[in-house]
Amino acid sequence: MSQSGQMWGGRFQGRLDPMFAEFQKSLPQDHLLAFADLETNLAWSEALAQAGVFTDEELEQVRDAIDDLAEHWAEHGVPTDDPAEDVHSLVERELGARCGDLAKRIHTGRSRNDQVATDLRLYLRERILGLLEGIQDVCAALVGKAQAHFDAPMPGYTHLQRAQPITIGHHALAHAEPLARDRERLLDAYHRMNQCPLGSGALAGTAVPVDREALAEQLDFAGGPCRNSLDATASRDHLCEILFACAMTMTHLSRLAEDYIFFASQEAGFLRFGDAVSTGSSLMPQKRNPDAMELVRGKAGRVQGALMALLSTVKGLPMAYNRDLQTDKETLLPAMLETEACLHVAAMAVQNAEFDTVRCAAEAGKGYQNATDLADLLVGAGVPFRDAHGIVGRAVNRAVELGVELQNLPAAEQSALLPQLQCDLHRELSVRAVLDRRAATGGTAPARVKAEVERWQHVLTDWATGFEDDDGDDDGACGDEACDDPACDDDGHRHS
Ligand code: ARG
């Protein structure tokens, strides 16, 4: 390729090595930013018109060209295998075909460095909304499970050893809570990155007297313009934050996946995945594999790797822009898209998981999971807990020898081992009684889980309608026109 054909080719006579020409392209990744780049071009053209670089008529021509290109790409898609080096060169060339030399003038006072930084933030705002929706989907599926099974017992584990009974609903909500925190992390990152780099030039700022405040407003950056042109073009900490939130989300999904995969095993037999999310074996006709959740668990590793890759790319980079930064997109974008897809698949898998509540309840009553409660009963009868622990430990040993549960110890054994207790052990140690005792906030008692389900339903409504209503009316939006919550529109109204 002749370098004189490149947007930067003026001082070069030789040809770019063909292999290097391919190697240095970013279009295969940054074509995803095409529509954001058109938005950036439009806003910059308007700023240039205000600064006197374009007449109103010229601006109109540029606007028409941008609209036309947007329409064309909406219909035919953005090319990914074009000779253009990156999306910015592609846009400039395509606008040139529509408005001639005006397209070349759009780059006045601008660099691809502030352009790509702006495009990426615009695109990320959209993608974060997609991630928030995905998290909402998984949480809604988990809350649905919790609602259906708020009082259904199952074994609870520590160290993957049966420990104490819990409810299926309590377990489901345990996986929703961390995802709610991931959602907050993403929102937090969204707000922090919602500042406009455009107008920062290549590194030192723009020499065109543009109104950067107006430009930021035009592009809906509630945080206004980035305050330092070097930082605006060189920093990628917002990408790292988003990737951390993705990696954490995937880590949480992988734990959910692992639990449900185990629950679906013949050994546990607690649930069965529906056909929509199960696959078979090419060899073993009887197999029914939980592949959806396995893939989610597996892909978590790739997203975690992306976070390390990006941190390593940014580490030690001199101020300001370096071409290393181009690789940010090939690290970040697939990881974000993968996370979004995994959220939807995980939601689907949870919805398609059918618990065997009869088996879960039966297993919750086995294996001395009520031993702590027996110790608590002894404490109620005046025995210090540490002594009670020892007494129950011995009672468990005896019950194991006899092959019975604690409440089924023969009367003679019971009075020998637990002389302090007169109560009806069958009732006091029943799974129901054990669950009901844990009624303090955060506990697994069915009444408590039911209340948590109701609280979660409000949370989900808030998420769907925007967020907690700050202005007292009931539309779920804050009413603040300057609000930059992604769920509120320009006027502080919630998205429908
Ligand atoms: N494709 C480049 C990137 O993504 C755009 C910026 C190029 N800037 C430069 N100085 N070569 O980073």
Side-chain angles (χ1 to χ4, degrees):
M1 172 180 302
S2 148
Q3 279 154 271
S4 55
Q6 302 278 15
M7 64 199 320
W8 43 261
R11 71 160 296 187
F12 296 86
Q13 280 100 45
R15 291 167 78 82
L16 206 55
D17 177 274
M19 192 266 160
F20 175 61
E22 273 307 304
F23 175 82
Q24 61 120 28
K25 283 175 68 165
S26 57
L27 190 65
Q29 291 82 39
D30 63 20
H31 68 271
L32 290 171
L33 307 183
F35 288 95
D37 200 66
L38 292 181
E39 249 188 277
T40 304
N41 269 288
L42 181 60
W44 186 245
S45 302
E46 286 169 354
L48 288 179
Q50 258 154 27
V53 176
F54 282 139
T55 64
D56 286 352
E57 208 177 296
E58 288 170 335
L59 176 61
E60 220 32 61
Q61 287 176 49
V62 169
R63 191 176 280 137
D64 287 347
I66 290 175
D67 284 350
D68 186 64
L69 183 52
E71 251 174 58
H72 176 74
W73 279 344
E75 200 176 320
H76 301 284
V78 181
T80 57
D81 58 351
D82 188 277
E85 172 180 319
D86 57 21
V87 69
H88 322 294
S89 325
L90 176 71
V91 166
E92 188 169 298
R93 194 193 71 208
E94 288 297 312
L95 290 181
R98 288 164 174 80
C99 64
D101 278 358
L102 284 178
K104 296 187 194 161
R105 284 170 55 200
I106 305 176
H107 214 58
T108 309
R110 185 183 68 177
S111 157
R112 282 182 295 166
N113 299 352
D114 58 347
Q115 199 177 344
V116 73
T118 308
D119 291 358
L120 196 47
R121 289 184 196 222
L122 291 176
Y123 178 76
L124 289 178
R125 290 198 311 211
E126 287 300 312
R127 286 273 62 79
I128 288 179
L129 288 184
L131 288 166
L132 296 180
E133 255 174 49
I135 288 179
Q136 202 171 307
D137 273 9
V138 183
C139 289
L142 289 166
V143 171
K145 276 278 164 294
Q147 186 182 16
H149 302 305
F150 73 93
D151 60 350
M154 72 179 296
Y157 293 80
T158 60
H159 313 267
L160 209 51
Q161 302 287 317
R162 290 189 179 180
Q164 290 176 338
I166 55 174
T167 64
I168 295 173
H170 197 51
H171 177 272
L173 294 184
H175 283 288
E177 290 291 338
L179 289 168
R181 293 193 292 275
D182 293 329
R183 182 180 179 276
E184 277 175 31
R185 272 184 270 274
L186 282 166
L187 277 173
D188 199 37
Y190 182 106
H191 290 307
R192 209 175 350 270
M193 75 155 193
N194 206 11
Q195 276 195 314
C196 183
L198 199 59
S200 297
L203 74 162
T206 183
V208 179
V210 290
D211 179 348
R212 288 199 60 219
E213 275 71 19
L215 192 54
E217 211 177 309
Q218 176 70 16
L219 287 169
D220 242 346
F221 283 110
C226 294
R227 308 305 306 182
N228 182 297
S229 58
L230 297 165
D231 173 52
T233 48
S235 292
R236 296 292 185 270
D237 50 295
H238 52 298
L239 272 52
C240 297
E241 276 193 318
I242 292 168
L243 260 186
F244 174 75
C246 288
M248 201 68 249
T249 302
M250 288 299 295
T251 303
H252 289 141
L253 289 185
S254 77
R255 296 189 70 176
L256 167 65
E258 166 61 20
D259 273 4
Y260 274 40
I261 290 166
F262 167 62
F263 290 172
S265 69
Q266 275 89 347
E267 282 64 27
F270 297 158
L271 65 79
R272 184 176 191 274
F273 284 113
D275 288 359
V277 291
S278 305
T279 61
S281 156
S282 59
L283 176 71
M284 299 165 281
Q286 88 285 9
K287 287 301 291 291
R288 184 179 185 82
N289 296 328
D291 290 30
M293 283 304 207
E294 287 176 312
L295 283 166
V296 167
R297 187 177 60 184
K299 283 168 189 273
R302 289 162 46 86
V303 178
Q304 289 171 343
L307 172 62
M308 275 324 291
L310 187 62
L311 284 170
S312 312
T313 298
V314 179
K315 177 192 172 295
L317 276 189
M319 195 62 85
Y321 179 85
N322 301 270
R323 194 69 183 274
D324 315 41
L325 290 175
Q326 171 169 295
T327 66
D328 62 356
K329 287 168 285 301
E330 57 192 86
T331 304
L332 172 77
L333 300 180
M336 281 185 93
L337 292 168
E338 192 119 281
T339 303
E340 203 176 319
C342 285
L343 284 163
H344 291 297
V345 170
M348 214 189 310
V350 170
Q351 274 159 8
N352 276 277
E354 209 174 301
F355 277 86
D356 180 343
T357 50
V358 174
R359 179 170 164 90
C360 285
E363 295 304 307
K366 291 184 192 161
Y368 314 104
Q369 295 175 67
N370 51 10
T372 313
D373 287 60
L374 181 55
D376 287 345
L377 290 175
L378 286 169
V379 169
V383 183
F385 181 78
R386 195 47 58 214
D387 297 338
H389 190 287
I391 293 169
V392 176
R394 286 185 285 280
V396 168
N397 276 343
R398 185 66 187 133
V400 170
E401 276 170 20
L402 295 170
V404 295
E405 288 295 323
L406 287 167
Q407 65 274 28
N408 295 331
L409 279 168
E413 298 280 350
Q414 194 178 316
S415 41
L417 286 159
L418 309 160
Q420 306 86 341
L421 289 184
Q422 260 73 59
C423 59
D424 173 0
L425 283 189
H426 265 102
R427 201 186 58 220
E428 297 297 336
L429 294 183
S430 69
V431 172
R432 184 61 48 201
V434 170
L435 290 175
D436 283 343
R437 272 188 200 106
R438 285 157 178 84
T441 303
T444 195
R448 177 59 64 184
V449 176
K450 191 165 191 251
E452 281 303 301
V453 167
E454 278 157 25
R455 189 185 65 76
W456 258 102
Q457 282 164 339
H458 287 298
V459 169
L460 289 172
T461 309
D462 283 344
W463 289 1
T465 53
F467 54 103
E468 300 92 275
D469 201 332
D470 289 342
D471 63 348
D473 65 21
D474 227 10
D475 65 0
C478 67
D480 176 1
E481 291 186 16
C483 172
D484 68 339
D485 190 290
C488 273
D489 70 12
D490 296 350
D491 309 320
H493 294 113
R494 67 185 168 81
H495 294 302
S496 48

